[in-house]
Amino acid sequence: MEPVILHSDMNNFYATVECLDNPSLRGKPMAVAGDPDARHGIVLAKNYEAKSYGITTGDPLWMARQKCPDIIFTPPRYDRYIQFSQAAHEIYGEYTDQVESFGLDECWLDVTGSTHLFGEGKQIADEIRSRIKHELGLTASVGVSYNKIFAKLGSDLKKPDATTVISQNFKEEIWHLPADMLLYVGRATYAKLLKYGIRTIGDLACADISFLERLLGKNGLMLWAFANGLDHSPVSHSYSRRVIKTIGNSTTTPRDLI
């Protein structure tokens, strides 16, 4: 049976939680950020209103304010984000025990053994998105594929609140995309690839593998395999079921959160 892997990414997670808890922030450009008085403060997350001004994650706060003088900064509340992350894990755990976290807001799920109960991968992804929206008040983008790398890429392609399937016809579906959309192709790696005319995922897949190894070392071999759909890494059994019952502030959600 072909693996069915999902990657769930809760959209603008920190910022969305802040807007959910504080309705006065909704519809206004805002960002979760470090200390505005500290020179090293940066944007950790932003809502779509802030994004429309060109504000990006990692912007220094002075730069964000230059782009949008009216932006509202709020401090991060990691305990609160953990509560929502745990609640999402409770939902994921109803479909599979193979749930691997990738930060607080992202997870891979191997639902291969669950399709006979819940339907094909897209159907499971759509159901999970619907439950996250109605039970937590958040939105998620979910990628569906036969490996982790393509599932992650799928969740990045359409935001917010979308399901994207990358199939065995991936050459037609994703090879035209920029190579830096592939997981682990960071800014420095992409800059090296561009020097040699490797711009797209397809360019990377068709590049000489020995050249990539000389250029990037073992990472070159890994990225060549990823671009060719050859990721076989398993989704770990890292999920542990927890009981989440109550929350100690004024926010009300359909699913109770500690």
Side-chain angles (χ1 to χ4, degrees):
M1 178 183 295
E2 181 176 276
V4 182
I5 310 298
L6 311 185
H7 184 270
S8 177
D9 183 357
M10 289 186 283
N11 306 132
N12 295 341
F13 181 52
Y14 295 177
T16 304
V17 170
E18 295 301 331
C19 291
L20 185 65
D21 282 356
N22 184 355
S24 69
L25 296 173
R26 298 175 190 173
K28 301 175 182 177
M30 62 81 60
V32 178
D35 185 356
D37 296 325
R39 293 175 60 87
H40 60 274
I42 63 171
V43 171
L44 302 175
K46 74 285 181 192
N47 64 1
Y48 283 103
E49 287 78 9
K51 185 177 181 180
S52 70
Y53 284 88
I55 293 170
T56 62
T57 300
D59 276 354
L61 302 194
W62 61 265
M63 183 183 295
R65 201 174 289 283
Q66 278 188 346
K67 294 177 179 178
C68 178
D70 295 328
I71 191 168
I72 301 169
F73 294 126
T74 63
R77 298 181 299 149
Y78 293 108
D79 288 348
R80 185 70 172 131
Y81 309 146
I82 290 171
Q83 292 164 2
F84 275 88
S85 180
Q86 289 176 341
H89 273 75
E90 286 291 319
I91 294 174
Y92 302 147
E94 294 183 25
Y95 298 89
T96 177
D97 64 348
Q98 288 183 259
V99 181
E100 180 179 342
S101 295
F102 192 61
L104 288 177
D105 55 341
E106 301 182 43
C107 280
W108 281 288
L109 297 79
D110 187 335
V111 297
T112 308
S114 304
T115 55
H116 67 290
L117 295 173
F118 302 108
E120 63 181 12
K122 184 180 185 302
Q123 183 176 342
I124 296 174
D126 287 341
E127 186 171 315
I128 286 174
R129 284 195 302 107
S130 177
R131 291 188 61 184
I132 287 174
K133 180 184 291 186
H134 293 101
E135 296 180 31
L136 304 185
L138 309 176
T139 64
S141 293
V142 183
V144 184
S145 194
Y146 64 93
N147 67 45
K148 289 167 65 176
I149 295 300
F150 286 173
K152 164 65 175 168
L153 177 58
S155 71
D156 290 335
L157 285 179
K158 295 180 183 177
K159 295 179 183 292
D161 196 21
T163 296
T164 302
V165 178
I166 297 177
S167 70
Q168 290 282 0
N169 297 319
F170 62 89
K171 293 180 182 180
E172 291 77 20
E173 295 167 354
I174 66 167
W175 269 16
H176 65 283
L177 297 172
D180 63 346
M181 292 198 68
L182 204 62
L183 187 61
Y184 303 125
V185 179
R187 186 177 302 173
T189 296
Y190 192 44
K192 289 181 181 179
L193 294 173
L194 287 174
K195 289 181 180 179
Y196 295 93
I198 301 173
R199 294 179 172 82
T200 67
I201 295 175
D203 292 338
L204 180 59
C206 296
D208 182 77
I209 191 170
S210 59
F211 166 75
L212 291 175
E213 184 177 20
R214 290 194 301 273
L215 182 65
L216 302 173
K218 291 182 179 179
N219 285 341
L221 302 178
M222 176 185 72
L223 295 177
W224 179 89
F226 288 169
N228 281 285
L230 300 176
D231 171 39
H232 303 296
S233 56
V235 177
S236 66
H237 291 73
S238 61
Y239 175 78
S240 60
R241 183 169 293 279
R242 309 171 203 185
V243 179
I244 299 179
K245 296 179 180 177
T246 60
I247 184 165
N249 69 22
S250 59
T251 300
T252 300
T253 61
R255 173 180 285 262
D256 289 333
L257 308 174
I258 288 178

